[in-house]
Amino acid sequence: PEVFLRSPAKKVVLADMMRLARRFPVQAGRSEASQPWSSSRRNLQVSRPARAGDGISHEIQYEGLWGAITTFPKRKPFATNVIVATVKTSLADLIVQKAEGKKEIDWERNGAFTMFGFAYLGIAQWFIYVTLFTKLCPNAVRFANLPMAEKLKDRAGQIDLIKQTCLDNFVHYTFVYFPVFYVIKEIINTSLAAREAAASGKKEESTSSLPERALAKYWKNCVTDNMYMWSLWVPGDLIVYAVPIWLRLPLNHAISLAWTMILSNLRGSEK
């Protein structure tokens, strides 16, 4: 051994061999079958976020069907949002129609709400709330994911909480949400009127375009609509924007179930 170590070249070789041994240790006599955790590890599945680092999607370990179901909102927040928005909006209108004493469901009316729930509340609002608002309010994601004790100390996050609430109620709802709702409703009403006119042999004529008719109806109702909206959503948004961001849109839809019933009662039967 002493002769071996006296050679500089051999010292280098020995040092390299020791480094490799430390990096790649060999565990003799241990097969996968002999490791008690190997079978359970094979049953675990890992969902990796589609957009790493966005603060919304999470890398979640789950096992079995029940685990896949209970972790789905965190693993697939966008899909969860679309599903909940569509079902919630349709259900809210059906509840109101039954409460109004209708003997038969007005499926054209319900179709307008379902279409609005899927296209706008499910897809468009994801972009508004998750993409746009988090850029306009850069502390939003960080603040939303903080524990409550730290939220109470975070001045910048609290300012963004107020900013998001104001943007949502006094910009988004007033100038985007309601106009889109009235346009979608007018599309359904126009289609229904055209079918009724064709069935009766009358020709349906209009001197104004569809967007003009929709916005004229909104203009007539805008004060009442927005007062109802703000009375529910100003306090509601203060809660929605304070919870962890993966829970933001599901909680938004829970409050929105009540709002959609109010909107259906207000404007659902209007033609």
Side-chain angles (χ1 to χ4, degrees), residues 96-115:
V96 172
Q97 288 197 46
K98 285 296 183 182
E100 290 173 348
K102 290 183 178 293
K103 294 182 180 179
E104 295 184 2
I105 297 296
D106 184 344
W107 291 111
E108 284 78 14
R109 165 180 165 175
N110 186 258
F113 278 89
T114 304
M115 181 179 174

Side-chain angles (χ1 to χ4, degrees), residues 41 44-54 56-62 71-72 74-77:
R41 187 178 178 184
L44 290 176
Q45 299 184 56
V46 178
S47 172
R48 299 192 180 278
R51 296 172 56 194
D54 63 3
I56 302 159
S57 303
H58 292 261
E59 183 175 322
I60 303 293
Q61 262 194 355
Y62 63 95
T71 61
F72 188 82
K74 283 189 176 182
R75 293 186 294 108
K76 305 290 183 182

Side-chain angles (χ1 to χ4, degrees), residues 77-86 88-89 114-132 172 180 184 249 253:
F78 176 73
T80 300
N81 180 59
V82 174
I83 293 167
V84 172
T86 305
K88 172 265 304 179
T89 311
T114 304
M115 181 179 174
F116 181 66
F118 172 78
Y120 188 78
L121 304 182
I123 298 173
Q125 278 196 350
W126 176 271
F127 168 76
I128 292 169
Y129 288 137
V130 175
T131 305
L132 183 60
H172 165 224
V180 170
I184 290 177
L249 284 169
H253 291 310

Side-chain angles (χ1 to χ4, degrees), residues 4 14 37 61 64 70 154-156 177 186 190 248 267:
F4 182 84
L14 181 59
W37 43 265
Q61 262 194 355
T70 56
D154 189 341
R155 181 73 173 170
Y177 175 98
E186 190 64 20
T190 301
R248 174 177 295 184
R267 306 298 173 215

Side-chain angles (χ1 to χ4, degrees), residues 173-188:
Y173 288 146
T174 302
F175 298 106
V176 182
Y177 175 98
F178 277 123
V180 170
F181 169 75
Y182 275 91
V183 167
I184 290 177
K185 193 168 183 299
E186 190 64 20
I187 290 171
I188 302 296

